[in-house]
């Protein structure tokens, strides 16, 4: 289904839409900017990458997952995939490092859609940094405890 | 589309196993998405389950109230007759009055139901079915389908013989549909308002819709106690279930025979429906709705003029050239050289500070000398003046201290 048609259906009302303080925002996992616009709404496209934090506790970003939108064509599921069988996304955990993740993003977008690419990378970096800060604090706390 | 999209039918026991690999998609799923039709039909059809209600026709009117007329310093509204109670003399009957009847009281013969043209209803149903096969629409409706292996989800007929709710639950878990059920359970809320006292205590979300075909299927009983799940026969597909709230994209689980029946039910683009007599599926207004693809196609790009580059005439923020050197250089390219020359000149002057000091010293000395000379001159003039004064006083008997007029 084309993005334009889907946008017309979805822009007025969808499960990810949040309107607050005169802003039109989106909780779409494939939207890296947070604002609902035609180009940034990833779940209606064929090839979006969402940078999604994984949390074990509230306000704790353990890790970052990349959620890649699969083609909307009907999947032939007899293929054995490592990823959990999912109709709309395959996930890549970013445990291996931020460089592999950024590579995945760059490869997916290529030279196109620089704005979206930058948004994804920006979010990746921010989440990673938040994670690093948290872990640093954790380590400091455990050290202090030991003393 | 040259190739017909294919769908896999899953085994009921194992979500990774596929019993039938490539079943062609029924033509209904290719119907154009028409939210306008669905919205219109839904708003009307939703009114058909309403039960008549009305206000008691005598409510607020059971008085022998009469207006007191003019001249009594009160409003002319009818007032309750009699005496001996607070109520007497109070306003009555009007909608604005306390205890008065409402304006335009609801009558039982209000037009509760709406009829909608059959064709419109069928188009709406077809679109709603089509929307259940589009992942972004199901996501947009809010169903949790991240673990579902395929949409549309078609499962072998075995589930029609499920009798136990545990079987049903396990089936849903196997196919990633349980997340949607969990959503329903966790978001069950006590309804706001009086309705909770009128039999509608909870507001419950919609979960998956299970569509079966065989009439003596037992799965209704297995699935009916699972919160959020609805079960319906293909032949009785209901727009209110396919697009709850007028919102397209319900998460639907089809049994194989139900899925196969859709072609007979709605017909295809080649032949009209058998069951819905003479019904032809809606044709799209535009065969290729992908705007981006059209714009980027060779045919369009050949004819199109080259993209205009936006020429920036000036900065968005004005910079003061008198303060900002770069802005100045932009306006006057020679300014850079001028500045350099000025700097060089200053440097030249400061070069050999000895000379300057010498100059300063000389200046100082000359000034001192001049002052000396000036001072001596002053003294001389003063002395001369004094002398003249003395002579005058001595020889010409001018009074001392008299004003010198010459």
């Amino acid at each position: 289904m084309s993005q334009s048609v889907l946008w017309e259906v979805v822009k007025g009302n969808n499960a990810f839409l949040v309107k607050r303080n005169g802003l039109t925002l989106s909780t779409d996992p494939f939207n890296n900017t947070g604002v609902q616009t035609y180009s940034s709404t990833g779940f209606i496209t064929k090839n979006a990458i969402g940078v999604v934090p994984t949390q074990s506790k509230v306000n704790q970003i353990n890790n970052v997952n990349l959620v890649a939108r699969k083609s909307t064509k009907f999947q032939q599921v007899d293929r054995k995939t490592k990823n959990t069988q999912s109709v709309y996304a395959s996930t890549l955990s970013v445990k291996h490092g931020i460089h592999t993740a950024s590579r995945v993003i760059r490869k997916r977008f290529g030279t196109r859609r620089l704005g979206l690419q930058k948004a994804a990378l920006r979010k990746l970096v921010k989440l990673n940094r938040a994670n690093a800060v948290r872990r640093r604090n954790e380590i400091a706390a455990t050290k202090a405890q030991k003393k | 589309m040259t190739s017909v999209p294919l769908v896999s039918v899953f085994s009921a026991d194992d979500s990774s196993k596929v019993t039938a690999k490539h079943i062609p998609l029924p033509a209904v799923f290719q119907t154009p998405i028409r939210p306008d039709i669905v919205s219109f039909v839904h708003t009307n059809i939703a009114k058909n389950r309403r039960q008549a209600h009305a206000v008691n026709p005598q409510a607020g009117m059971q008085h022998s109230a009469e207006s007191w007329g003019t001249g009594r310093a009160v409003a002319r509204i009818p007032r309750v007759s009699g005496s001996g109670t607070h109520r007497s003399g109070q306003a009555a009957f009007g909608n604005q009055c306390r205890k008065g009847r409402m304006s335009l009281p609801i009558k039982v013969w209000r037009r509760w139901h709406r009829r909608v043209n059959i064709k419109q209803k069928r188009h709406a149903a077809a679109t709603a079915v089509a929307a259940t096969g589009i992942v972004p629409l199901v996501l947009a409706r809010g169903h949790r389908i991240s673990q579902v292996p395929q949409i549309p989800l078609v499962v072998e007929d075995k589930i029609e013989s499920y009798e136990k709710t545990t079987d049903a639950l396990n089936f849903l878990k196997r196919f990633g549909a349980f997340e949607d059920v969990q959503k329903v359970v966790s978001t069950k809320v006590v309804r706001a308002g009086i309705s909770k006292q009128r039999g509608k205590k909870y507001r419950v979300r919609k979960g998956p819709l299970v569509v079966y075909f065989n009439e003596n299927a037992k799965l209704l009983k297995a699935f009916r106690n699972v919160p959020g799940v609805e079960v319906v026969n293909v032949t009785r597909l209901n727009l209110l279930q396919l697009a709850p709230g007028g919102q397209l994209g319900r998460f639907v689980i089809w049994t194989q025979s139900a899925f196969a029946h859709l072609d007979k039910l709605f017909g295809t683009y080649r032949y009209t429906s058998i069951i819905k007599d003479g019904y032809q599926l809606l044709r799209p207004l535009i065969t290729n709705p992908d705007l981006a693809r059209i714009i980027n196609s060779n045919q369009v790009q050949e004819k199109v003029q080259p993209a205009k580059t936006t020429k920036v005439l000036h900065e968005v923020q004005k910079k003061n050239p008198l303060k900002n050197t770069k802005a100045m250089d932009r306006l006057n390219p020679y300014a850079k050289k001028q500045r350099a020359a000025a700097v060089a000149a200053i440097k030249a002057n400061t070069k050999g500070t000895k000379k300057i000091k010498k100059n300063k010293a000389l200046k100082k000395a000359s000034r001192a000398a001049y002052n000396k000379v000036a001072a001596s001159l002053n003294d001389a003039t003063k002395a001369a003046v004094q002398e003249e004064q003395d002579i005058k006083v001595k020889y010409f008997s001018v009074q001392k201290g008299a004003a010198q007029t010459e």
Side-chain angles (χ1 to χ4, degrees), chain B residues 81-229:
Chain B
S81 332
S83 56
T85 172
H86 279 267
R87 188 64 176 134
S88 45
Q90 283 181 353
F93 290 170
N95 56 300
Q96 75 270 33
C97 303
R98 182 175 172 273
K99 301 296 215 165
R101 100 183 112 61
M102 63 181 277
S103 50
L104 309 171
I106 301 176
K107 301 293 183 193
V108 189
W109 58 82
R110 170 185 281 198
R111 192 169 65 106
W112 301 103
H113 308 101
R114 297 284 181 276
R115 57 170 293 280
V116 184
N117 297 342
I118 288 181
K119 207 189 262 181
Q120 279 177 319
K121 287 193 277 193
R122 287 169 175 173
H123 285 327
T127 295
V129 170
T132 63
I134 296 174
V135 173
L137 289 180
V138 182
L139 278 176
R141 225 200 133 257
H143 289 288
R144 310 288 189 256
I145 51 167
S146 59
Q147 305 300 324
V148 175
Q150 182 194 83
I151 281 189
L153 184 58
V154 188
V155 185
E156 61 175 347
D157 287 348
K158 200 168 170 205
I159 66 165
E160 290 188 3
S161 57
Y162 282 172
E163 288 189 47
K164 302 289 271 172
T165 310
T166 36
D167 293 338
L169 274 179
N170 288 329
F171 161 75
L172 292 173
K173 283 179 185 162
R174 255 179 269 125
F175 282 88
F178 194 64
E179 214 186 324
D180 213 20
V181 172
Q182 278 174 323
K183 169 201 85 174
V184 170
V185 170
S186 62
T187 53
K188 186 173 173 185
V189 194
V190 170
R191 191 183 294 262
I194 287 281
S195 303
K196 64 170 149 309
Q197 296 168 14
R198 296 178 180 172
K200 292 182 191 170
K201 186 168 182 196
Y202 295 105
R203 276 183 64 186
V204 178
R205 305 277 180 92
K206 297 274 184 198
L209 177 70
V210 182
V211 182
Y212 67 97
F213 179 54
N214 297 313
E215 281 301 343
N216 45 5
K218 299 189 187 121
L219 60 74
L220 171 62
K221 286 208 181 158
F223 278 97
R224 71 182 176 188
N225 205 26
V226 184
V229 175

Side-chain angles (χ1 to χ4, degrees), chain B residues 267-316:
Chain B
T268 68
Y269 285 109
R270 274 174 155 211
Y271 51 84
T272 58
S273 162
I274 305 163
I275 296 169
K276 298 184 197 289
D277 192 23
Y279 172 66
Q280 171 63 64
L281 284 171
L282 207 56
R283 290 186 192 277
L285 284 173
I286 311 176
T287 44
N288 177 18
D290 196 343
L291 259 187
R293 196 117 183 269
I294 293 171
I295 292 172
N296 290 329
S297 70
N298 282 331
Q299 294 95 320
V300 171
Q301 288 297 318
E302 269 174 27
K303 303 287 183 188
V304 146
Q305 286 185 351
K308 286 183 191 169
T309 47
T310 45
K311 193 174 179 193
V312 178
L313 295 174
H314 53 79
E315 291 170 349
V316 178

Side-chain angles (χ1 to χ4, degrees), chain A residues 49-69:
Chain A
I49 286 202
V51 182
V52 174
T54 57
Q55 303 170 316
S56 59
K57 297 174 200 166
V58 179
N59 288 333
Q60 180 177 359
I61 298 167
N62 267 353
N63 225 330
V64 173
N65 273 351
L66 285 187
V67 186
R69 186 88 176 72

